[in-house]
Amino acid sequence: MARGKLRIYLGAAPGVGKTYAMLAEAHRRIERGTDCAVAFVEHHHRPRTEVMLHGLEQIPRREIEYRGGVFTEMDVDAVLARRPQVVLVDELPHTNIPGSRNAKRWQDVEELLAAGIDVISTVNIQHLESLGDVVESITGVRQQETVPDEVVRRADQIELVDMSPQALRRRMAHGNIYKPDKVDAALANYFRPGNLTALRELALLWVADRVDEYLNEYRREHRVSTIWGSRERIVVGLTGGPEGRTLIRRASRLAEKGAGGEVLAVYISRSDGLTAASPKELADQRTLVEDLGGTFHHVVGDDIPAALLDFSRGVNATQIVLGVSRRRSWQYVYGPGVGATVARESGPDLDVHLITHDEAGKGRGLPVARGARLGRSRVIWGWLVGVLGPASLTGLLTSTTPDVGLANDMLLFLTLTVAAALLGGLFPALASAMVGSLLLNWYFTPPIHTLTIADPKNIVAIAIFVGVAVSVASVVDLAARRTHQAARLRAESEILSFLSGNVLRGETSLEELLERVRETFGMESAALLERTDETAPWTCAGSVGPRPAEIPEDADVDVPVGDHMALSLSGRVLPAADRRVLAAFAAQAAVVLDRQRLRHEAGRAKELAEGNRIRTALLAAVSHDLRTPLAGIKAAVTSLRSDDVEWSEQDQAELLAAIEEGADRLDHLVGNLLDMSRLQTGTVTPIIRETDLDEVVPMALGGVPEDSVELDIPETLPMVHIDRGLLERAVANVVENAVKYSPQGEQVLVSASALADRVELRVVDRGPGVPDEAKDRIFEPFQRYGDAPRGVGVGLGLAVARGFAEAVGGTLHAEDTPGGGLTMVLAVPTAPDRERPGGLVGAVTP
């Protein structure tokens, strides 16, 4: 059983008109013939709302005794027994009286939806659970009755009932909301202008977020790649440097200038390894952007400007914030830099801001692996202390300070060595020990100014000095390597978490996973090889990159997966430390391959089942729908050939007309069967050419009465890029279907308009319409909706029309006609760079 649809009227405060709008919608649906009933509506003695209840069926409520009183609640069992198509349930967050079926009214509504009943309900913004603290801080009142946000977000339709604070206060003052004795208190407390303005803003922002979700879903479904500046989205490009905090704060201020602005910080790492730059700084910046209400994203890409622009367009961003390059002047010989490239390639739909900061022009870190772990400034200071420090100390001791003894001299030099080790690591400390030992020998060990050491004890002392210096340097270097390993393990864990999450959710194909492997490890190609047994040859289950390995022995790196599968990479030999993560990738690749094959087998099974269903339906069609016109033709022919009756010319004409009508019906049915067979077997080959729509559509109306269609095709429409014959057949089937279901005397409207890179042809009828859950099903073969009589067709017209529309690069879907009925929307692509003068002009469709 299909789940019912939930429609919610959301308001900022009591009295804006939610219940009134809900009752008006009920009257509108009843006028269209929908079975609609009231399960629970509270009019609060408001005259206008109470009048709207007249003419609506009200399901009796359930009476419950509680603490000496009698209360009424919605009777869920009575609603389920009555089972209307649509039911009205007011005040969704309401808490039921103890002893009711459920604790909350929204739980009652969930039962009705599960039973397939559509529900229309109302909610005030202050009753959303996540906004409880915010509403309390604004109004000073804690809402006791709340509804989980997810319940409201799952609604199929949310309509905001909006009213300005001034209009709502006037309505309150006129006595349209509360009784006169409560008006003054309400206006002075909860209904103050500031409270109402803040609540209205909450409602508008909450609904705007939901609209944004719908917009993103629409852009994904229709593969819209251009940016629609519906709201300000600011992308901040981070490098992991300290300037990131300045950029995030500046982007946040830009977002605050426009209502509903959003900040998205993105760090793009290259795909040449598992390590990431400045993980601590990135973690701090991630915390900062989340504290400011933004989001943090990590993207992998070798071309940093292209990856940044792809990400920005993917999230429909309107602005990009980048920092001025940290390069020094001479480093620009290597290229213009990320900021300049992004600004050049962004196009007119993306604004790029280059922000100055304290790190601009100071250069990048030293390209030394070990030094990079300690930081650039520490390495520089380490070398300065390790090399210049002993020389400066020697000058000080020999010129200004009296002789303090060799032991004290060694301790002073050892202090410099320890300082060099703490600052710069192993190599600056070793240099300090070497320089210090030479200076001690030359200036402070008798005989001085020679490298000869007279006293053996001094030899031991200098040896101990060198040993202690090397030991301290080794300890500091070990700590740096442990920090580096921790950062690496963190990067590995992030990659494995991302990998496992995507694979478990089924979001990654084998090619995408192999591409991820290739990018992560900086390889030229990656391939998953398999064989049936030990003696069978290897076959490639999937590969990415140029010249993938055909057997594991040809690859630079191969990781076995079980006995008969291997992941092979070509490009370079990986260190042993990377094989642990690579083994995880290999295991997940095998899982993805198995899932793809299972999905393929399930698809084949579905195709076989669909084929069996079509064959069964075809047999039923042949046995009845095709035999009916044949029977009429045979009866007419038999009557004409009979010698027992003399037929008048009028009778003969009627019998011949019956034969012609039966033959036409047979021709139409057989034509649709052949067309569906061509679509099923994939033998439809469209001949695409530029065509005027106003030349095709009139030709498609030959099979319907002349006065049954109103045609409105503007001559200023751009030319379309389609197969003329296939489009004509598709339009003919759609129009014939609309005429068949239209009421007697009602014309079908066929209109067209241009929109972006396509032209939409709308076929509008005023028939009974089709429920939302059946709108896709009517395009399946051998489907006849409702009580269509046998003999009017085999249910292939719309299936063939959609197949032909998709064959020429278009789409065909159904929408509700405002006021009742069904509208078929056939969208076809316009001819490239060939539009008529006059722009995008089209008919206005009702």
Side-chain angles (χ1 to χ4, degrees):
M1 178 185 299
R3 180 180 171 85
K5 305 290 185 181
L6 175 60
R7 178 171 183 169
I8 291 179
Y9 287 92
L10 180 70
V16 296
K18 304 180 301 299
T19 304
Y20 189 94
M22 178 178 66
L23 294 173
E25 173 66 13
H27 282 286
R28 188 179 69 84
R29 296 198 180 198
I30 289 175
E31 290 175 359
R32 293 190 322 185
T34 304
D35 183 12
C36 187
V38 176
F40 192 99
V41 169
E42 194 65 61
H43 54 72
H44 297 290
H45 304 289
R46 298 169 187 167
R48 296 175 182 270
T49 306
E50 193 171 358
V51 168
M52 292 295 292
L53 281 169
H54 296 168
L56 298 178
E57 176 189 354
Q58 300 189 47
I59 299 175
R61 302 180 184 180
R62 179 187 177 191
E63 295 186 352
I64 302 176
E65 293 186 5
Y66 180 66
R67 293 185 177 180
V70 178
F71 302 86
T72 60
E73 293 286 3
M74 179 175 66
D75 193 337
V76 179
D77 291 327
V79 177
L80 294 174
R82 167 65 177 78
R83 199 174 184 79
Q85 287 179 271
V86 180
V87 67
L88 275 58
V89 181
D90 205 4
E91 300 177 356
L92 188 63
H94 172 75
T95 302
N96 293 330
I97 297 295
S100 301
R101 184 189 188 99
N102 295 300
K104 290 284 190 176
R105 184 166 292 165
W106 63 264
Q107 295 171 328
D108 296 337
V109 169
E110 287 292 321
E111 284 195 39
L112 300 181
L113 294 173
I117 301 175
D118 294 346
V119 177
I120 305 177
S121 189
T122 62
V123 176
N124 277 328
I125 192 66
Q126 66 264 29
H127 293 295
L128 293 179
E129 202 165 67
S130 66
L131 300 178
D133 295 336
V134 179
V135 173
E136 185 179 9
S137 66
I138 295 172
T139 64
V141 179
R142 183 70 181 185
Q143 299 295 329
Q144 301 301 321
E145 295 185 333
T146 59
V147 59
D149 290 49
E150 185 60 26
V151 174
V152 182
R153 285 188 178 276
R154 285 202 307 263
D156 300 277
Q157 190 173 352
I158 299 176
E159 184 171 338
L160 178 65
V161 183
D162 187 32
M163 179 174 289
S164 68
Q166 295 77 11
L168 184 56
R169 285 173 58 84
R170 282 197 301 269
R171 179 179 288 185
M172 170 72 71
H174 294 159
N176 294 330
I177 301 177
Y178 291 160
K179 294 181 179 180
D181 57 339
K182 296 182 179 180
V183 170
D184 291 338
L187 290 175
N189 294 283
Y190 194 92
F191 285 78
R192 288 178 297 181
N195 290 358
L196 296 179
T197 301
L199 293 174
R200 187 188 188 197
E201 183 180 22
L202 280 178
L204 290 171
L205 290 176
W206 195 91
V207 174
D209 286 340
R210 183 62 189 270
V211 172
D212 198 52
E213 295 173 9
Y214 285 144
L215 177 61
N216 290 334
E217 182 179 354
Y218 178 87
R219 283 167 53 85
R220 285 193 301 270
E221 291 178 353
H222 292 76
R223 297 186 294 277
V224 178
S225 58
T226 57
I227 291 177
W228 291 356
S230 54
R231 64 185 295 185
E232 289 296 335
R233 274 192 185 83
I234 303 175
V235 170
V236 185
L238 301 178
T239 64
E243 76 278 4
R245 305 184 188 189
T246 302
L247 303 183
I248 292 170
R249 293 189 180 97
R250 180 63 62 88
S252 179
R253 292 197 296 271
L254 289 173
E256 290 173 357
K257 293 181 180 179
E262 184 180 358
V263 176
L264 301 92
V266 57
Y267 169 68
I268 302 175
S269 61
R270 297 186 183 276
S271 59
D272 54 359
L274 296 173
T275 57
S278 306
K280 182 179 183 301
E281 187 67 32
L282 282 176
D284 294 341
Q285 292 172 12
R286 179 172 191 159
T287 302
L288 175 61
V289 72
E290 290 175 350
D291 289 343
L292 293 175
T295 56
F296 183 89
H297 306 267
H298 187 174
V299 176
V300 177
D302 288 325
D303 189 345
I304 303 298
L308 180 60
L309 289 171
D310 288 343
F311 174 84
S312 301
R313 293 192 174 100
V315 298
N316 201 27
T318 56
Q319 302 180 53
I320 298 178
V321 173
L322 298 173
V324 173
S325 177
R326 287 183 290 162
R327 292 181 174 188
R328 288 191 168 91
S329 301
W330 61 269
Q331 291 178 312
Y332 280 96
V333 299
Y334 298 110
V338 173
T341 304
V342 170
R344 186 181 66 247
E345 301 294 337
S346 61
D349 52 2
L350 262 175
D351 296 333
V352 180
H353 303 268
L354 294 179
I355 308 299
T356 58
H357 51 84
D358 294 336
E359 301 298 321
K362 292 186 177 181
R364 300 180 178 180
L366 294 175
V368 181
R370 289 180 179 270
R373 295 198 292 266
L374 294 174
R376 178 192 177 198
S377 61
R378 286 184 59 179
V379 171
I380 293 175
W381 278 106
W383 282 103
L384 290 175
V385 172
V387 176
L388 300 182
S392 301
L393 180 61
T394 300
L396 180 66
L397 291 175
T398 56
S399 60
T400 61
T401 306
D403 186 13
V404 295
L406 181 60
N408 291 326
D409 292 337
M410 286 186 177
L411 288 176
L412 291 174
F413 277 93
L414 181 61
T415 302
L416 289 177
T417 302
V418 172
L422 291 174
L423 291 172
L426 181 61
F427 294 112
L430 293 178
S432 177
M434 183 188 306
V435 174
S437 62
L438 292 175
L439 292 174
L440 280 170
N441 188 2
W442 185 268
Y443 287 101
F444 302 103
T445 305
I448 62 174
H449 300 145
T450 67
L451 295 178
T452 304
I453 301 176
D455 191 348
K457 294 180 180 180
N458 293 337
I459 298 177
V460 174
I462 292 179
I464 293 174
F465 165 77
V466 175
V468 171
V470 172
S471 299
V472 172
S474 299
V475 170
V476 174
D477 187 68
L478 178 63
R481 282 190 282 112
R482 290 289 184 264
T483 303
H484 173 72
Q485 290 172 359
R488 180 187 181 86
L489 290 174
R490 177 181 177 183
E492 289 181 2
S493 65
E494 290 179 354
I495 289 176
L496 292 175
S497 175
F498 173 83
L499 173 66
S500 60
N502 278 7
V503 172
L504 287 175
R505 291 190 297 269
E507 299 175 353
T508 303
S509 65
L510 180 60
E511 287 71 21
E512 290 173 343
L513 182 61
L514 293 176
E515 183 65 25
R516 177 82 179 184
V517 174
R518 190 180 70 85
E519 292 178 351
T520 299
F521 296 98
M523 308 300 285
E524 292 182 0
S525 63
L528 185 64
L529 307 176
E530 63 175 344
R531 58 184 179 182
T532 55
D533 53 58
E534 297 293 339
T535 60
W538 289 96
T539 59
C540 182
S543 65
V544 294
R547 301 180 300 278
E550 298 180 356
I551 58 175
E553 290 77 10
D554 293 341
D556 294 311
V557 181
D558 70 283
V559 179
V561 186
D563 296 331
H564 307 300
M565 193 175 294
L567 178 62
S568 302
L569 306 179
S570 301
R572 64 187 178 93
V573 178
L574 292 179
D578 290 344
R579 295 186 68 89
R580 179 174 64 255
V581 178
L582 187 58
F585 271 106
Q588 296 293 354
V591 172
V592 171
L593 179 61
D594 289 341
R595 179 181 284 117
Q596 281 189 184
R597 287 175 173 171
L598 289 174
R599 188 181 294 116
H600 179 68
E601 292 177 3
R604 289 188 58 192
K606 183 178 180 181
E607 290 177 1
L608 291 174
E610 181 68 14
N612 289 333
R613 188 185 70 80
I614 291 177
R615 280 192 291 271
T616 303
L618 179 59
L619 289 174
V622 171
S623 64
H624 187 281
D625 295 294
L626 294 182
R627 290 181 63 186
T628 299
L630 282 174
I633 293 173
K634 181 174 177 56
V637 171
T638 301
S639 300
L640 287 173
R641 295 187 61 189
S642 175
D643 297 331
D644 300 334
V645 180
E646 253 187 61
W647 302 101
S648 64
E649 291 184 2
Q650 181 179 357
D651 292 336
Q652 291 179 4
E654 290 178 355
L655 291 173
L656 290 174
I659 293 174
E660 184 179 12
E661 180 183 356
D664 290 340
R665 286 176 58 188
L666 273 178
D667 179 67
H668 182 73
L669 292 174
V670 172
N672 275 337
L673 287 172
L674 292 176
D675 290 338
M676 180 51 60
S677 175
R678 292 166 61 201
L679 290 170
Q680 292 285 341
T681 57
T683 58
V684 176
T685 304
I687 302 175
I688 304 298
R689 63 186 63 177
E690 296 180 4
T691 306
D692 284 328
L693 198 63
D694 55 0
E695 295 179 359
V696 177
V697 175
M699 300 296 295
L701 307 182
V704 296
E706 292 184 2
D707 58 347
S708 62
V709 176
E710 177 186 351
L711 197 59
D712 188 2
I713 307 295
E715 295 182 356
T716 53
L717 284 176
M719 301 183 75
V720 293
H721 206 54
I722 47 88
D723 182 302
R724 180 168 181 163
L726 295 182
L727 181 63
E728 182 180 327
R729 290 294 308 276
V731 173
N733 284 0
V734 172
V735 172
E736 289 174 10
N737 183 79
V739 171
K740 183 193 308 180
Y741 286 98
S742 290
Q744 189 71 24
E746 285 281 353
Q747 285 187 320
V748 172
L749 174 63
V750 179
S751 64
S753 60
L755 181 63
D757 57 351
R758 65 185 185 276
V759 172
E760 288 189 350
L761 183 73
R762 292 177 171 267
V763 181
V764 183
D765 68 60
R766 296 291 178 178
V770 176
D772 291 340
E773 62 271 13
K775 282 187 172 62
D776 282 333
R777 196 167 60 246
I778 60 176
F779 293 102
E780 296 177 3
F782 304 105
Q783 294 290 326
R784 292 184 296 185
Y785 178 71
D787 56 353
R790 304 287 293 183
V792 298
V794 293
L796 287 175
L798 293 181
V800 170
R802 172 174 275 189
F804 283 167
E806 292 176 350
V808 299
T811 60
L812 176 63
H813 67 275
E815 297 178 354
D816 290 328
T817 301
L822 191 68
T823 297
M824 291 290 180
V825 183
L826 175 60
V828 292
T830 58
D833 301 326
R834 291 289 301 276
E835 292 187 0
R836 295 180 179 178
L840 302 180
V841 181
V844 178
T845 312

